[in-house]
Amino acid sequence: MRRGGEIRKARQGDGGLSAQLRRPPGGRDARIMLLTQALDRAGTGVWAASSVLYFTFVVGLDAGQLGLLLGAAGVAGIAGSPLAGHLADRFQVRTLLIGCHLIRLGALCVLLLVTDFGLLLLLFAVTHLGDRAAKTLEMLFATRVAGERRSTYQALSRSSANAGYALGAGLAAIGLAVGTRGAYQVLILANALSFLVAAVLVWRTREPRGAGLVVAQPGAAEGDAPAAAGTGPWRDRGYLRFVLLDIPMNLDDSILGVGIPLWLVGHTEAPHALIPAFLVINTVLVVVLQLRVSARVRDARRAADAVALYGLTALTCCAFLAAAPAGGPWAASLLLLAASVLVTAAELMRSVSSWELAVSLAPARATASYLGVAGMAQSVQKSAGPLLLTGAVMAAGPVGWLALGAGVAGLSLVQRRSALRRLDRLGAPPVPATSEAGSA
C-alpha cells in the first residue's frame, strides 16, 4: 500500500512543465540551479548571435583567423569536461562551478579590451573550456541533488535552458539591429553579467558534504564496478567504448545547426527565409516535449532502448534530406521542415538517454571522473561534426545523407547492445512491470 501511494504521489507530482519547475527533483537547490542555467543560457544566446559579427566588424579578424579562433575554442572545450570531472572527485561541485562562472566572466571582460590575435585566441579558448566544464559540473550537481529522478531534472534543465537561449538570441537581435561598436560591446557585457549572476545564484545552493559524493545507481552496491573496469575511466575499455559510440549519437546538433541550412542553400529550391524556422521548431519542441520524453526514459534500460530509436529517427531524417533536392520549392520546404522535426525528436531522446547511460554505466564511487570523460562526446562532435557534414556527407550528395543515416542507425544498435551487456555486469535491476513511475 505504501509503495502504491508513493507511485500515485509521483504521478501526481509530475504534472506539467510549470508545476515541475515549481517543485523540481532536488527542491530548493534544484530550483536555484535551473534559474541559474536559464540565465547562463540567455547570456550564451546573446554571445552566440553576436560574437562572430563582433570579431569580424569590430576586431577586424579575417575568415582564416576566425576559423582558427573557433577551432581552438572547440579543442579547449573537449578538455573542459574531463578536467571538470577529475576535479569534482576532489572538490565540491558547487565551488568548482562558481569558479567556472568567474573565470568566464574575467576572460570575457578582458576580451573586450584587447585586439591582439594571440590574446584573443587564448581568452576565447578559456571561455569555451570554462563553458564545457560548467555544463559537466551542472550535470554532476543534478546527479547529486535529484538522485534517481535525474532524468526528470534533465528534462527541466533542457526546457529552461532552451527558453533562456531563445530569450538571449532575441535580445541580441535588438543590438545587432543597432550595429554599432558600442551595441556589440553591450551585448558581450550582457553575457558577462549572466556569469556574475550565475555565480551568485550557485553560491546560494547547497550540496552533500564531502568530495566526490554521488547518488549510487539503484541495485548497485557502493563501489561496484564492472569486472572489466580499470582504475579509472581512461582504463575502462567498456566505458570508453560507450563514450566513443556516443559521439555519433550527438550528430543531431550538427545536422540541425549546419547540415540542414547548408543543404537548403546549396542543394534545394526551398526559400532561404525558411532557415530561421528550423531553430524555432527545435526550440519550441524541446521546451514543450522534453519533460514528456523524459517521463518515458526513467531508467538505464529504457535509455538503451531510446538509443536504438534515436538511430531509426536519424535515419528517417537523413532520408528526407536526401529526397529534398528532387522536389520543387514546396516539396523541398516540406521535407526540410519534416527533417527538422525528426532531428529535434532525435535530440529529445539523445539528451535523456546519453546522460542516463553515462551515469548508470559508471562505477558508483567514481561517477564524477567518469561523467567528465562522457562529456567529451558532445565536445568532440561539436568540433568534428560540421567537418564531417560539409567535407564528406554533403559533398557526396543524397547518397551521403543516406550513408550517414545508415551508419548512425547501425552504431545505435551496437551502442544499445553494449550498454545492456554492461548493465547486466553492473547488476542493474530489470525494468519493473508494474509502474511507469517506479523510479520516481
PDB file of all heavy atoms in Angstrom, residues 54-55 57-62 65 69 109-121 123 181 185:
ATOM      1  N   TYR A  54      31.002  40.456 -34.010  1.00  0.00           N
ATOM      2  CA  TYR A  54      31.895  41.315 -33.227  1.00  0.00           C
ATOM      3  C   TYR A  54      33.344  41.127 -33.674  1.00  0.00           C
ATOM      4  O   TYR A  54      34.068  42.106 -33.918  1.00  0.00           O
ATOM      5  CB  TYR A  54      31.745  40.993 -31.747  1.00  0.00           C
ATOM      6  CG  TYR A  54      32.782  41.691 -30.878  1.00  0.00           C
ATOM      7  CD1 TYR A  54      32.625  43.025 -30.519  1.00  0.00           C
ATOM      8  CD2 TYR A  54      33.910  41.013 -30.439  1.00  0.00           C
ATOM      9  CE1 TYR A  54      33.575  43.666 -29.724  1.00  0.00           C
ATOM     10  CE2 TYR A  54      34.858  41.640 -29.650  1.00  0.00           C
ATOM     11  CZ  TYR A  54      34.696  42.971 -29.295  1.00  0.00           C
ATOM     12  OH  TYR A  54      35.639  43.605 -28.522  1.00  0.00           O
ATOM     13  N   PHE A  55      33.768  39.879 -33.791  1.00  0.00           N
ATOM     14  CA  PHE A  55      35.148  39.620 -34.185  1.00  0.00           C
ATOM     15  C   PHE A  55      35.407  40.060 -35.626  1.00  0.00           C
ATOM     16  O   PHE A  55      36.519  40.439 -35.967  1.00  0.00           O
ATOM     17  CB  PHE A  55      35.470  38.126 -34.031  1.00  0.00           C
ATOM     18  CG  PHE A  55      35.599  37.676 -32.609  1.00  0.00           C
ATOM     19  CD1 PHE A  55      34.855  36.612 -32.131  1.00  0.00           C
ATOM     20  CD2 PHE A  55      36.462  38.332 -31.736  1.00  0.00           C
ATOM     21  CE1 PHE A  55      34.972  36.193 -30.826  1.00  0.00           C
ATOM     22  CE2 PHE A  55      36.585  37.911 -30.418  1.00  0.00           C
ATOM     23  CZ  PHE A  55      35.835  36.846 -29.958  1.00  0.00           C
ATOM     24  N   PHE A  57      33.539  42.585 -37.532  1.00  0.00           N
ATOM     25  CA  PHE A  57      33.354  44.004 -37.839  1.00  0.00           C
ATOM     26  C   PHE A  57      33.983  44.951 -36.823  1.00  0.00           C
ATOM     27  O   PHE A  57      34.313  46.089 -37.170  1.00  0.00           O
ATOM     28  CB  PHE A  57      31.862  44.315 -37.967  1.00  0.00           C
ATOM     29  CG  PHE A  57      31.200  43.604 -39.110  1.00  0.00           C
ATOM     30  CD1 PHE A  57      30.233  42.630 -38.889  1.00  0.00           C
ATOM     31  CD2 PHE A  57      31.553  43.879 -40.417  1.00  0.00           C
ATOM     32  CE1 PHE A  57      29.632  41.965 -39.942  1.00  0.00           C
ATOM     33  CE2 PHE A  57      30.960  43.217 -41.479  1.00  0.00           C
ATOM     34  CZ  PHE A  57      29.998  42.256 -41.246  1.00  0.00           C
ATOM     35  N   VAL A  58      34.142  44.507 -35.588  1.00  0.00           N
ATOM     36  CA  VAL A  58      34.730  45.373 -34.562  1.00  0.00           C
ATOM     37  C   VAL A  58      36.220  45.104 -34.406  1.00  0.00           C
ATOM     38  O   VAL A  58      37.045  46.024 -34.467  1.00  0.00           O
ATOM     39  CB  VAL A  58      33.997  45.188 -33.209  1.00  0.00           C
ATOM     40  CG1 VAL A  58      34.665  46.041 -32.131  1.00  0.00           C
ATOM     41  CG2 VAL A  58      32.528  45.564 -33.351  1.00  0.00           C
ATOM     42  N   VAL A  59      36.596  43.828 -34.206  1.00  0.00           N
ATOM     43  CA  VAL A  59      38.002  43.485 -34.040  1.00  0.00           C
ATOM     44  C   VAL A  59      38.724  43.469 -35.382  1.00  0.00           C
ATOM     45  O   VAL A  59      39.905  43.801 -35.464  1.00  0.00           O
ATOM     46  CB  VAL A  59      38.140  42.120 -33.320  1.00  0.00           C
ATOM     47  CG1 VAL A  59      39.603  41.745 -33.132  1.00  0.00           C
ATOM     48  CG2 VAL A  59      37.437  42.160 -31.970  1.00  0.00           C
ATOM     49  N   GLY A  60      38.032  43.062 -36.460  1.00  0.00           N
ATOM     50  CA  GLY A  60      38.633  43.072 -37.788  1.00  0.00           C
ATOM     51  C   GLY A  60      39.326  41.780 -38.172  1.00  0.00           C
ATOM     52  O   GLY A  60      40.252  41.797 -38.992  1.00  0.00           O
ATOM     53  N   LEU A  61      38.901  40.643 -37.620  1.00  0.00           N
ATOM     54  CA  LEU A  61      39.509  39.362 -37.991  1.00  0.00           C
ATOM     55  C   LEU A  61      39.035  38.941 -39.373  1.00  0.00           C
ATOM     56  O   LEU A  61      37.890  39.177 -39.749  1.00  0.00           O
ATOM     57  CB  LEU A  61      39.128  38.286 -36.975  1.00  0.00           C
ATOM     58  CG  LEU A  61      39.543  38.510 -35.515  1.00  0.00           C
ATOM     59  CD1 LEU A  61      39.196  37.284 -34.680  1.00  0.00           C
ATOM     60  CD2 LEU A  61      41.032  38.839 -35.399  1.00  0.00           C
ATOM     61  N   ASP A  62      39.942  38.291 -40.126  1.00  0.00           N
ATOM     62  CA  ASP A  62      39.533  37.756 -41.424  1.00  0.00           C
ATOM     63  C   ASP A  62      38.985  36.343 -41.244  1.00  0.00           C
ATOM     64  O   ASP A  62      38.972  35.796 -40.130  1.00  0.00           O
ATOM     65  CB  ASP A  62      40.691  37.771 -42.416  1.00  0.00           C
ATOM     66  CG  ASP A  62      41.911  36.980 -41.935  1.00  0.00           C
ATOM     67  OD1 ASP A  62      41.719  35.953 -41.237  1.00  0.00           O
ATOM     68  OD2 ASP A  62      43.048  37.383 -42.254  1.00  0.00           O
ATOM     69  N   GLN A  65      41.473  33.748 -39.645  1.00  0.00           N
ATOM     70  CA  GLN A  65      41.666  33.951 -38.208  1.00  0.00           C
ATOM     71  C   GLN A  65      40.431  33.533 -37.423  1.00  0.00           C
ATOM     72  O   GLN A  65      40.546  32.931 -36.339  1.00  0.00           O
ATOM     73  CB  GLN A  65      41.989  35.425 -37.934  1.00  0.00           C
ATOM     74  CG  GLN A  65      43.351  35.864 -38.409  1.00  0.00           C
ATOM     75  CD  GLN A  65      43.569  37.352 -38.222  1.00  0.00           C
ATOM     76  OE1 GLN A  65      42.685  38.169 -38.527  1.00  0.00           O
ATOM     77  NE2 GLN A  65      44.732  37.735 -37.720  1.00  0.00           N
ATOM     78  N   LEU A  69      40.221  30.711 -34.562  1.00  0.00           N
ATOM     79  CA  LEU A  69      39.681  31.050 -33.247  1.00  0.00           C
ATOM     80  C   LEU A  69      38.624  30.040 -32.816  1.00  0.00           C
ATOM     81  O   LEU A  69      38.655  29.531 -31.681  1.00  0.00           O
ATOM     82  CB  LEU A  69      39.076  32.452 -33.304  1.00  0.00           C
ATOM     83  CG  LEU A  69      38.762  33.144 -31.975  1.00  0.00           C
ATOM     84  CD1 LEU A  69      40.045  33.582 -31.286  1.00  0.00           C
ATOM     85  CD2 LEU A  69      37.868  34.355 -32.212  1.00  0.00           C
ATOM     86  N   CYS A 109      35.495  39.798 -20.038  1.00  0.00           N
ATOM     87  CA  CYS A 109      35.732  41.233 -19.818  1.00  0.00           C
ATOM     88  C   CYS A 109      37.071  41.666 -20.402  1.00  0.00           C
ATOM     89  O   CYS A 109      37.179  42.736 -21.021  1.00  0.00           O
ATOM     90  CB  CYS A 109      35.673  41.545 -18.323  1.00  0.00           C
ATOM     91  SG  CYS A 109      34.014  41.438 -17.605  1.00  0.00           S
ATOM     92  N   VAL A 110      38.110  40.851 -20.208  1.00  0.00           N
ATOM     93  CA  VAL A 110      39.421  41.179 -20.773  1.00  0.00           C
ATOM     94  C   VAL A 110      39.371  41.124 -22.293  1.00  0.00           C
ATOM     95  O   VAL A 110      40.011  41.927 -22.978  1.00  0.00           O
ATOM     96  CB  VAL A 110      40.496  40.215 -20.220  1.00  0.00           C
ATOM     97  CG1 VAL A 110      41.850  40.476 -20.889  1.00  0.00           C
ATOM     98  CG2 VAL A 110      40.620  40.374 -18.711  1.00  0.00           C
ATOM     99  N   LEU A 111      38.593  40.175 -22.832  1.00  0.00           N
ATOM    100  CA  LEU A 111      38.483  40.029 -24.277  1.00  0.00           C
ATOM    101  C   LEU A 111      37.990  41.320 -24.932  1.00  0.00           C
ATOM    102  O   LEU A 111      38.376  41.639 -26.062  1.00  0.00           O
ATOM    103  CB  LEU A 111      37.551  38.862 -24.590  1.00  0.00           C
ATOM    104  CG  LEU A 111      37.377  38.424 -26.043  1.00  0.00           C
ATOM    105  CD1 LEU A 111      37.200  36.914 -26.126  1.00  0.00           C
ATOM    106  CD2 LEU A 111      36.163  39.107 -26.679  1.00  0.00           C
ATOM    107  N   LEU A 112      37.160  42.072 -24.236  1.00  0.00           N
ATOM    108  CA  LEU A 112      36.645  43.324 -24.779  1.00  0.00           C
ATOM    109  C   LEU A 112      37.722  44.403 -24.887  1.00  0.00           C
ATOM    110  O   LEU A 112      37.543  45.379 -25.620  1.00  0.00           O
ATOM    111  CB  LEU A 112      35.509  43.846 -23.889  1.00  0.00           C
ATOM    112  CG  LEU A 112      34.135  43.208 -24.085  1.00  0.00           C
ATOM    113  CD1 LEU A 112      33.184  43.674 -22.996  1.00  0.00           C
ATOM    114  CD2 LEU A 112      33.572  43.534 -25.452  1.00  0.00           C
ATOM    115  N   LEU A 113      38.827  44.218 -24.164  1.00  0.00           N
ATOM    116  CA  LEU A 113      39.845  45.266 -24.097  1.00  0.00           C
ATOM    117  C   LEU A 113      41.042  45.013 -24.996  1.00  0.00           C
ATOM    118  O   LEU A 113      41.914  45.877 -25.111  1.00  0.00           O
ATOM    119  CB  LEU A 113      40.342  45.410 -22.643  1.00  0.00           C
ATOM    120  CG  LEU A 113      39.274  45.718 -21.588  1.00  0.00           C
ATOM    121  CD1 LEU A 113      39.890  45.725 -20.197  1.00  0.00           C
ATOM    122  CD2 LEU A 113      38.582  47.037 -21.888  1.00  0.00           C
ATOM    123  N   VAL A 114      41.122  43.830 -25.604  1.00  0.00           N
ATOM    124  CA  VAL A 114      42.304  43.501 -26.401  1.00  0.00           C
ATOM    125  C   VAL A 114      41.918  43.273 -27.858  1.00  0.00           C
ATOM    126  O   VAL A 114      40.778  42.909 -28.175  1.00  0.00           O
ATOM    127  CB  VAL A 114      43.007  42.241 -25.843  1.00  0.00           C
ATOM    128  CG1 VAL A 114      43.449  42.460 -24.410  1.00  0.00           C
ATOM    129  CG2 VAL A 114      42.108  41.021 -25.941  1.00  0.00           C
ATOM    130  N   THR A 115      42.889  43.478 -28.726  1.00  0.00           N
ATOM    131  CA  THR A 115      42.711  43.212 -30.157  1.00  0.00           C
ATOM    132  C   THR A 115      43.805  42.302 -30.698  1.00  0.00           C
ATOM    133  O   THR A 115      43.724  41.867 -31.840  1.00  0.00           O
ATOM    134  CB  THR A 115      42.712  44.524 -30.966  1.00  0.00           C
ATOM    135  OG1 THR A 115      43.919  45.238 -30.692  1.00  0.00           O
ATOM    136  CG2 THR A 115      41.514  45.387 -30.602  1.00  0.00           C
ATOM    137  N   ASP A 116      44.839  42.026 -29.884  1.00  0.00           N
ATOM    138  CA  ASP A 116      45.914  41.138 -30.299  1.00  0.00           C
ATOM    139  C   ASP A 116      45.356  39.730 -30.534  1.00  0.00           C
ATOM    140  O   ASP A 116      44.685  39.160 -29.656  1.00  0.00           O
ATOM    141  CB  ASP A 116      47.012  41.094 -29.241  1.00  0.00           C
ATOM    142  CG  ASP A 116      48.142  40.152 -29.621  1.00  0.00           C
ATOM    143  OD1 ASP A 116      48.958  40.525 -30.473  1.00  0.00           O
ATOM    144  OD2 ASP A 116      48.175  39.024 -29.066  1.00  0.00           O
ATOM    145  N   PHE A 117      45.643  39.146 -31.694  1.00  0.00           N
ATOM    146  CA  PHE A 117      45.031  37.870 -32.051  1.00  0.00           C
ATOM    147  C   PHE A 117      45.464  36.748 -31.114  1.00  0.00           C
ATOM    148  O   PHE A 117      44.651  35.878 -30.754  1.00  0.00           O
ATOM    149  CB  PHE A 117      45.380  37.497 -33.494  1.00  0.00           C
ATOM    150  CG  PHE A 117      44.783  36.187 -33.928  1.00  0.00           C
ATOM    151  CD1 PHE A 117      43.411  36.063 -34.112  1.00  0.00           C
ATOM    152  CD2 PHE A 117      45.593  35.085 -34.137  1.00  0.00           C
ATOM    153  CE1 PHE A 117      42.853  34.854 -34.497  1.00  0.00           C
ATOM    154  CE2 PHE A 117      45.037  33.867 -34.531  1.00  0.00           C
ATOM    155  CZ  PHE A 117      43.671  33.756 -34.706  1.00  0.00           C
ATOM    156  N   GLY A 118      46.718  36.750 -30.696  1.00  0.00           N
ATOM    157  CA  GLY A 118      47.198  35.714 -29.788  1.00  0.00           C
ATOM    158  C   GLY A 118      46.451  35.721 -28.471  1.00  0.00           C
ATOM    159  O   GLY A 118      46.047  34.661 -27.960  1.00  0.00           O
ATOM    160  N   LEU A 119      46.241  36.904 -27.918  1.00  0.00           N
ATOM    161  CA  LEU A 119      45.496  37.012 -26.658  1.00  0.00           C
ATOM    162  C   LEU A 119      44.027  36.643 -26.856  1.00  0.00           C
ATOM    163  O   LEU A 119      43.421  35.989 -25.997  1.00  0.00           O
ATOM    164  CB  LEU A 119      45.612  38.436 -26.103  1.00  0.00           C
ATOM    165  CG  LEU A 119      46.945  38.807 -25.455  1.00  0.00           C
ATOM    166  CD1 LEU A 119      46.949  40.275 -25.048  1.00  0.00           C
ATOM    167  CD2 LEU A 119      47.210  37.923 -24.248  1.00  0.00           C
ATOM    168  N   LEU A 120      43.457  37.062 -27.971  1.00  0.00           N
ATOM    169  CA  LEU A 120      42.069  36.691 -28.259  1.00  0.00           C
ATOM    170  C   LEU A 120      41.914  35.172 -28.349  1.00  0.00           C
ATOM    171  O   LEU A 120      40.941  34.599 -27.857  1.00  0.00           O
ATOM    172  CB  LEU A 120      41.611  37.335 -29.570  1.00  0.00           C
ATOM    173  CG  LEU A 120      41.344  38.838 -29.547  1.00  0.00           C
ATOM    174  CD1 LEU A 120      41.054  39.343 -30.965  1.00  0.00           C
ATOM    175  CD2 LEU A 120      40.176  39.164 -28.636  1.00  0.00           C
ATOM    176  N   LEU A 121      42.887  34.538 -28.973  1.00  0.00           N
ATOM    177  CA  LEU A 121      42.862  33.086 -29.109  1.00  0.00           C
ATOM    178  C   LEU A 121      42.854  32.422 -27.733  1.00  0.00           C
ATOM    179  O   LEU A 121      42.061  31.504 -27.469  1.00  0.00           O
ATOM    180  CB  LEU A 121      44.075  32.633 -29.920  1.00  0.00           C
ATOM    181  CG  LEU A 121      44.038  31.232 -30.549  1.00  0.00           C
ATOM    182  CD1 LEU A 121      42.988  31.161 -31.631  1.00  0.00           C
ATOM    183  CD2 LEU A 121      45.419  30.896 -31.127  1.00  0.00           C
ATOM    184  N   LEU A 123      42.035  33.809 -24.751  1.00  0.00           N
ATOM    185  CA  LEU A 123      40.846  34.154 -23.960  1.00  0.00           C
ATOM    186  C   LEU A 123      39.609  33.416 -24.470  1.00  0.00           C
ATOM    187  O   LEU A 123      38.793  32.941 -23.673  1.00  0.00           O
ATOM    188  CB  LEU A 123      40.612  35.664 -24.019  1.00  0.00           C
ATOM    189  CG  LEU A 123      41.646  36.523 -23.300  1.00  0.00           C
ATOM    190  CD1 LEU A 123      41.469  37.999 -23.670  1.00  0.00           C
ATOM    191  CD2 LEU A 123      41.538  36.350 -21.791  1.00  0.00           C
ATOM    192  N   ARG A 181      29.632  49.724 -32.647  1.00  0.00           N
ATOM    193  CA  ARG A 181      30.633  49.100 -31.793  1.00  0.00           C
ATOM    194  C   ARG A 181      30.132  49.030 -30.350  1.00  0.00           C
ATOM    195  O   ARG A 181      30.284  48.012 -29.673  1.00  0.00           O
ATOM    196  CB  ARG A 181      31.938  49.905 -31.869  1.00  0.00           C
ATOM    197  CG  ARG A 181      33.062  49.355 -30.991  1.00  0.00           C
ATOM    198  CD  ARG A 181      34.255  50.301 -30.962  1.00  0.00           C
ATOM    199  NE  ARG A 181      35.346  49.746 -30.195  1.00  0.00           N
ATOM    200  CZ  ARG A 181      36.342  49.033 -30.697  1.00  0.00           C
ATOM    201  NH1 ARG A 181      36.379  48.792 -31.994  1.00  0.00           N
ATOM    202  NH2 ARG A 181      37.309  48.566 -29.926  1.00  0.00           N
ATOM    203  N   GLN A 185      29.482  45.737 -27.854  1.00  0.00           N
ATOM    204  CA  GLN A 185      30.120  45.633 -26.541  1.00  0.00           C
ATOM    205  C   GLN A 185      29.085  45.445 -25.435  1.00  0.00           C
ATOM    206  O   GLN A 185      29.311  44.699 -24.475  1.00  0.00           O
ATOM    207  CB  GLN A 185      30.979  46.874 -26.285  1.00  0.00           C
ATOM    208  CG  GLN A 185      32.211  46.940 -27.179  1.00  0.00           C
ATOM    209  CD  GLN A 185      32.992  48.234 -27.014  1.00  0.00           C
ATOM    210  OE1 GLN A 185      32.432  49.272 -26.655  1.00  0.00           O
ATOM    211  NE2 GLN A 185      34.286  48.182 -27.270  1.00  0.00           N
TER     212      GLN A 185
END
